[in-house]
């Protein structure tokens, strides 16, 4: 490895990995950034600039619409109709090959809701989509319900991976829906792999809008709250014209939550503490 120190005190460089024979590189990392997060490090000239870099992800309720009441609901429905029909006239709902009855009912209700906005809605399984021409879907927004019943990414085969890569390379907008809950239960851990994958792809493929909506495992998968959540996530992410738009959503206790980075003062104070023993001083007992 080799690196240089930048003006901020960080180190940037490349890393090459190989085996004992060193005949060829086995892995190459370009532009690796290394940062000393100990704000109290006396050897770090940028300590003052790093004084407030300790953060944590905190889930907060998505800000509701400014309109309220019966008249406000009519305005909101009218705005939603205009947004969806103009920006997502064609929508494809993707299902898993072993879709549960409750999920099939969810698909029916979601299709009805989208068709009420004059959208052309198609429903297909991942295996059926593999036989279609992806070029015909370039103007189609995809809502994936593949992981509503069980994890997909955590168990996918090589063929599934090729299918996903092909889908991502031909599409510009996919709303991926999971039902992992808060990952407190063992059966929910498989969905966390999807969360990590989608976060990575958003960084490596910024041209792809790939928002993630995670449903609660305790909620009724065919309930109206789920339909409303999907439509809200669609509006706030794929159909949003804002330069910075929402990319992750979670449904907890009937509320739509979004992640926010907040300062973690306790962690910062712990890192900022002196690592050397203080000089003794004489005091009165």
């Amino acid at each position: 490895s080799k690196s240089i120190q930048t003006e901020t005190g960080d180190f940037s460089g490349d890393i090459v990995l190989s085996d004992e024979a060193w005949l060829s590189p086995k892995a190459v990392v370009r532009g690796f950034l290394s940062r000393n997060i100990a704000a109290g490090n006396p050897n770090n000239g940028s300590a003052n600039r790093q004084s407030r870099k300790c953060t944590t992800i905190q889930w907060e309720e998505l800000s509701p619409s400014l309109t309220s009441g019966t008249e406000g609901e009519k305005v909101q429905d009218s705005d939603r109709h205009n947004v969806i029909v103009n920006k997502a006239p064609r929508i494809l709902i993707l299902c898993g090959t072993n879709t549960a009855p409750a999920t099939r009912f969810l698909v029916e209700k979601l299709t009805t809701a989208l068709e009420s906005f004059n959208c052309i809605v198609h429903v297909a399984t991942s295996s059926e989509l593999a036989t279609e021409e992806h070029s015909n879907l370039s103007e189609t927004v995809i809502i994936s319900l593949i992981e509503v019943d069980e994890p997909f990414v955590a168990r996918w085969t090589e063929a599934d991976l090729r299918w996903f890569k092909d889908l991502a390379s031909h599409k510009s907008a996919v709303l991926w829906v999971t039902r992992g809950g808060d990952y407190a239960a063992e059966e929910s851990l498989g969905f966390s792999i999807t969360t990590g994958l989608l976060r990575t792809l958003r960084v490596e493929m910024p041209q792809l809008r790939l928002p993630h909506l995670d449903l609660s495992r305790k909620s009724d998968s065919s309930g109206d709250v789920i339909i409303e959540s999907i439509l809200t996530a669609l509006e706030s992410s794929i159909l949003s014209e804002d330069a910075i738009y929402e990319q992750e959503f979670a449904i907890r206790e009937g509320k739509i939550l979004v992640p926010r980075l907040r300062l973690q003062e306790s962690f910062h104070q712990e890192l900022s503490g002196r690592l050397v023993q203080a000089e003794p001083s004489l005091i009165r007992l």
Side-chain angles (χ1 to χ4, degrees), residues 59-75:
W59 290 86
E60 301 176 359
E61 186 173 4
L62 181 64
S63 299
S65 173
L66 296 178
T67 57
S68 59
T70 304
E71 198 63 33
E73 290 175 359
K74 292 181 180 179
V75 174

Side-chain angles (χ1 to χ4, degrees), residues 183-240:
Y183 310 128
E186 183 177 351
E187 59 269 17
S188 300
L189 294 179
F191 296 100
S192 62
I193 298 177
T194 301
T195 302
L197 171 68
L198 299 182
R199 287 177 177 175
T200 302
L201 289 179
R202 291 190 206 105
V203 175
E204 297 184 353
M205 302 176 66
Q207 74 278 9
L208 174 63
R209 291 208 176 193
L210 192 56
H212 177 204
L213 170 63
D214 184 60
L215 308 177
S216 172
R217 295 189 65 84
K218 298 179 181 179
S219 62
D220 181 7
S221 61
S222 61
D224 293 336
V225 174
I226 303 302
I227 301 296
E228 177 64 24
S229 302
I230 292 176
L231 295 179
T232 300
L234 194 65
E235 285 182 284
S236 304
S237 58
I238 292 177
L239 307 184
S240 175

Side-chain angles (χ1 to χ4, degrees), residues 12-227:
S12 177
D14 303 332
I15 300 176
V16 179
L17 305 177
S18 187
D19 53 16
E20 294 180 354
W22 202 257
L23 297 177
S24 63
K26 304 302 181 183
V28 179
V29 181
R30 303 290 189 192
F32 184 84
L33 183 66
S34 175
R35 172 173 298 161
N36 188 345
I37 63 174
N41 185 353
N43 297 323
N44 192 345
S46 60
N48 293 333
R49 302 175 193 168
Q50 297 182 356
S51 60
R52 299 178 68 82
K53 289 187 177 179
C54 302
T55 57
T56 183
I57 294 181
Q58 181 174 316
W59 290 86
E60 301 176 359
E61 186 173 4
L62 181 64
S63 299
S65 173
L66 296 178
T67 57
S68 59
T70 304
E71 198 63 33
E73 290 175 359
K74 292 181 180 179
V75 174
Q76 187 176 7
D77 289 342
S78 177
D79 291 342
R80 171 175 286 176
H81 181 279
N82 295 332
V83 168
I84 293 180
V85 74
N86 291 329
K87 299 182 180 179
R90 298 174 60 87
I91 295 180
L92 173 63
I93 301 177
L94 275 182
C95 305
T97 54
N98 299 318
T99 305
T103 304
R104 288 198 292 268
F105 185 48
L106 170 63
V107 172
E108 295 176 3
K109 294 186 66 175
L110 180 58
T111 301
T112 302
L114 291 171
E115 288 178 342
S116 69
F117 298 116
N118 297 327
C119 297
I120 300 175
V121 183
H122 296 281
V123 180
T125 63
S126 56
S127 58
E128 292 171 342
L129 183 63
T131 61
E132 296 177 16
E133 290 291 335
H134 285 289
S135 58
N136 296 333
L137 300 175
S138 57
E139 302 300 323
T140 302
V141 172
I142 291 182
I143 300 177
S144 171
L145 303 180
I146 294 176
E147 288 195 292
V148 169
D149 296 318
E150 59 183 9
F152 170 72
V153 175
R155 303 172 183 173
W156 65 13
T157 62
E158 185 177 353
D160 294 331
L161 174 59
R162 286 198 302 268
W163 171 86
F164 183 85
K165 290 171 63 176
D166 195 33
L167 177 69
S169 63
H170 287 85
K171 287 302 303 170
S172 60
V174 181
L175 173 60
W176 199 272
V177 184
T178 61
R179 199 179 182 200
D182 56 2
Y183 310 128
E186 183 177 351
E187 59 269 17
S188 300
L189 294 179
F191 296 100
S192 62
I193 298 177
T194 301
T195 302
L197 171 68
L198 299 182
R199 287 177 177 175
T200 302
L201 289 179
R202 291 190 206 105
V203 175
E204 297 184 353
M205 302 176 66
Q207 74 278 9
L208 174 63
R209 291 208 176 193
L210 192 56
H212 177 204
L213 170 63
D214 184 60
L215 308 177
S216 172
R217 295 189 65 84
K218 298 179 181 179
S219 62
D220 181 7
S221 61
S222 61
D224 293 336
V225 174
I226 303 302
I227 301 296

